[in-house]
């Protein structure tokens, strides 16, 4: 059973999971993405994954068999485990608790696709709806307070399997990055009486220079203080703090915007590895006036090194205004060829 440990100075929690680090050579080089070999996520290999938690299936198909469109299974090598109580305790000045949580994999297509941009028809919207379904279900567990949905594509972004999938890690504490956003946005709201994200959307739409996609209900832009080159955020224009409150119509539009932004990033940057994360409010909060859910998309183009680790500053060599202009101008086909590979997946 892994531990969650809190740094007493900055309040940062870490997962200490002994079982994940066996010998020093396990840490060598970047994770290797399996390429062109057996894939446990492809349709027909359902028996090679743990039992499914949820699947959107075609009529007449059976659990853990073929005939699914989107499938959720527990991670085979979970960072946190669902059984047991938290056993919160102290050791002198140190706080700790057991590593209770959930770690699920959302397999986004029965076909062996490698990126969100290749999802077709209903697939992308069903993936976004599965995110919602899993959050709604997991927030019933009183031990758990936060659901983090993220996606790694390509070895440089930490993917260990190339078949397009996202992950959901549900934790018994609010992750520090979200905590910082919550605190900062609350301060802004207390001072100005408005949501900082809503203000940001308004200013970006008025200024236009950092806008990537402007849809009726969603906007994508490169944030003013982007940490990474071509970092792009997608937000609903109507204020909402919890992703799981999204409606059907929202999912319809959001799936188009996300796919478009990712296709643009892939076209502009020759298919880099990338991550995206969904930042939403903690489970145990009501609708919040100061917090606004969003998706952050980050191509893996730079690497954090000593300076970043030491200071928390990131060095971004591409101004977001230039990145946004570039992404706006890139033409993307609505239906690309299925034959793509992501850099660094060799
Ligand atoms: Zn596959
Ligand atoms: Zn807002
Ligand atoms: Zn965020």
């Amino acid at each position: 059973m892994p531990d969650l440990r809190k740094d007493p100075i900055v309040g940062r929690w870490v997962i200490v999971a002994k079982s994940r680090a066996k010998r020093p050579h396990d840490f060598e080089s970047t994770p290797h993405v399996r390429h062109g070999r057996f894939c446990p996520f492809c349709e027909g290999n359902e028996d090679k994954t743990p039992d499914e938690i949820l699947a959107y299936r075609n009529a007449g198909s059976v659990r853990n068999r073929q005939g699914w469109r989107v499938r959720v299974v527990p991670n085979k090598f979970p960072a946190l485990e669902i059984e047991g109580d938290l056993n919160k305790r102290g050791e002198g000045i140190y706080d700790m608790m057991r590593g209770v949580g959930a770690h699920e994999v959302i397999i986004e297509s029965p076909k062996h696709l490698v990126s969100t941009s290749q999802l077709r028809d209903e697939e992308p919207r069903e993936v976004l709806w599965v995110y919602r379904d899993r959050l709604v279900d997991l927030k019933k567990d009183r031990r758990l307070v936060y659901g983090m949905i993220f996606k790694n594509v390509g070895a440089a972004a930490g993917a260990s399997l190339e078949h397009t999938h996202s992950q959901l890690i549900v934790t018994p504490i609010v992750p520090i990055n979200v905590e910082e956003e919550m605190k900062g946005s609350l301060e802004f709201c207390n001072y100005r009486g408005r949501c900082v994200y809503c203000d940001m959307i308004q200013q970006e739409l008025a200024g236009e220079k950092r806008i990537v996609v402007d849809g009726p209900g969603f906007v994508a832009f490169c944030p003013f203080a982007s940490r990474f080159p071509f970092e792009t955020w997608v937000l609903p224009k109507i204020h909402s703090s919890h992703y799981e409150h999204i409606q059907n119509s929202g999912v319809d539009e959001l799936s188009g915007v996300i796919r478009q932004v990712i296709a643009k990033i892939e076209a502009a940057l020759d298919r880099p590895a990338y991550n995206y994360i969904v930042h939403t409010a903690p489970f145990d909060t009501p609708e919040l006036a100061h917090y606004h859910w969003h998706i952050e998309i980050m191509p893996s183009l730079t690497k954090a090194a000593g300076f970043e680790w030491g200071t928390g500053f990131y060095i971004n060599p591409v101004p977001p205004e230039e990145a946004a202009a570039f992404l706006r101008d890139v033409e993307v086909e609505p239906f690309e060829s299925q034959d793509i590979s992501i850099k660094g997946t060799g």
Side-chain angles (χ1 to χ4, degrees):
M1 174 65 74
D3 276 324
L4 288 179
R5 298 187 184 194
K6 190 182 181 187
D7 179 307
I9 301 160
V10 294
R12 184 184 297 111
W13 288 83
V14 295
I15 298 170
V16 181
K18 271 185 227 113
S19 60
R20 286 169 76 79
K22 287 148 210 135
R23 276 171 237 100
H25 72 251
D26 290 340
F27 298 108
E28 274 168 30
S29 74
T30 49
H32 190 77
V33 169
R34 298 163 71 152
H35 186 69
R37 284 197 276 152
F38 174 79
C39 172
F41 292 170
C42 278
E43 185 170 33
N45 298 335
E46 290 77 13
D47 59 337
K48 299 298 186 297
T49 63
D51 279 358
E52 71 194 35
I53 296 165
L54 170 71
Y56 295 165
R57 298 191 148 276
N58 300 330
S61 70
V62 184
R63 203 168 168 264
N64 292 317
R65 295 284 163 78
Q66 301 186 19
W68 50 275
R69 301 185 303 279
V70 181
R71 188 167 182 255
V72 184
V73 297
N75 192 308
K76 236 181 169 171
F77 307 100
L80 297 167
E81 291 167 19
I82 197 73
E83 304 300 333
D85 56 34
L86 292 172
N87 188 22
K88 290 185 185 176
R89 60 202 187 276
E91 246 182 51
I93 59 167
Y94 304 114
D95 290 334
M96 58 197 291
M97 65 176 88
R98 297 174 81 200
V100 171
H103 190 167
E104 303 180 352
V105 176
I106 296 138
I107 309 169
E108 300 174 8
S109 171
K111 292 181 296 258
H112 194 82
L113 309 177
V114 301
S115 173
T116 296
S117 60
Q118 295 174 295
L119 296 178
R120 292 290 168 262
D121 309 317
E122 283 292 283
E123 284 172 342
R125 72 172 305 288
E126 287 198 322
V127 169
L128 296 174
W129 199 251
V130 160
Y131 293 171
R132 175 211 161 268
D133 274 355
R134 293 311 299 142
L135 291 174
V136 166
D137 185 43
L138 284 157
K139 74 194 285 181
K140 291 177 198 150
D141 188 330
R142 310 301 299 194
R143 300 168 304 165
L144 307 175
V145 300
Y146 198 81
M148 169 63 67
I149 293 157
F150 62 98
K151 179 169 166 118
N152 307 330
V153 177
S160 50
L161 282 167
E162 69 174 8
H163 190 125
T164 190
H165 66 284
S166 351
Q167 300 183 58
L168 167 60
I169 291 192
V170 186
T171 53
I173 43 101
V174 178
I176 189 134
N177 289 356
V178 177
E179 192 68 56
E180 282 174 354
E181 288 186 354
M182 298 274 291
K183 268 190 209 154
S185 58
L186 181 62
E187 265 169 40
F188 184 95
C189 194
N190 285 340
Y191 179 59
R192 305 201 202 198
R194 297 188 305 267
C195 162
V196 61
Y197 294 93
C198 285
D199 270 20
M200 205 184 271
I201 291 168
Q202 235 175 33
Q203 184 168 333
E204 293 303 333
L205 287 172
E208 289 178 4
K209 57 188 170 190
R210 284 180 292 269
I211 299 287
V212 178
V213 176
D214 178 13
F218 289 87
V219 60
F221 59 82
C222 297
F224 175 73
S226 293
R227 294 156 294 175
F228 312 104
F230 294 87
E231 174 176 351
T232 307
W233 291 7
V234 179
L235 300 94
K237 285 184 177 175
I238 303 280
H239 182 84
S240 169
S241 54
H242 293 66
Y243 175 85
E244 62 271 26
H245 295 163
I246 197 167
Q247 303 291 308
N248 247 302
S249 55
V251 161
D252 280 342
E253 189 191 336
L254 178 60
S255 65
V257 172
I258 299 260
R259 205 167 45 160
Q260 204 184 342
V261 170
I262 289 172
K264 280 172 173 284
I265 286 172
E266 287 174 343
L269 301 167
D270 194 17
R271 312 195 184 291
Y274 66 88
N275 305 95
Y276 72 62
I277 53 169
V278 180
H279 269 163
T280 179
F283 289 164
D284 54 356
T285 53
E287 177 66 26
L288 301 169
H290 65 274
Y291 196 70
H292 194 124
W293 74 260
H294 55 277
I295 296 176
E296 300 180 13
I297 304 169
M298 292 156 292
S300 306
L301 302 167
T302 50
K303 245 189 162 171
F307 180 67
E308 288 83 359
W309 294 124
T311 59
F313 288 122
Y314 293 89
I315 302 172
N316 179 359
V318 183
E321 296 74 25
E322 282 173 29
F326 206 73
L327 293 177
R328 269 198 310 273
D329 292 346
V330 168
E331 301 275 343
V332 289
E333 298 288 327
F335 290 94
E336 272 181 48
S337 139
Q338 302 262 320
D339 179 31
I340 76 164
S341 63
I342 298 293
K343 249 197 220 163
T345 55

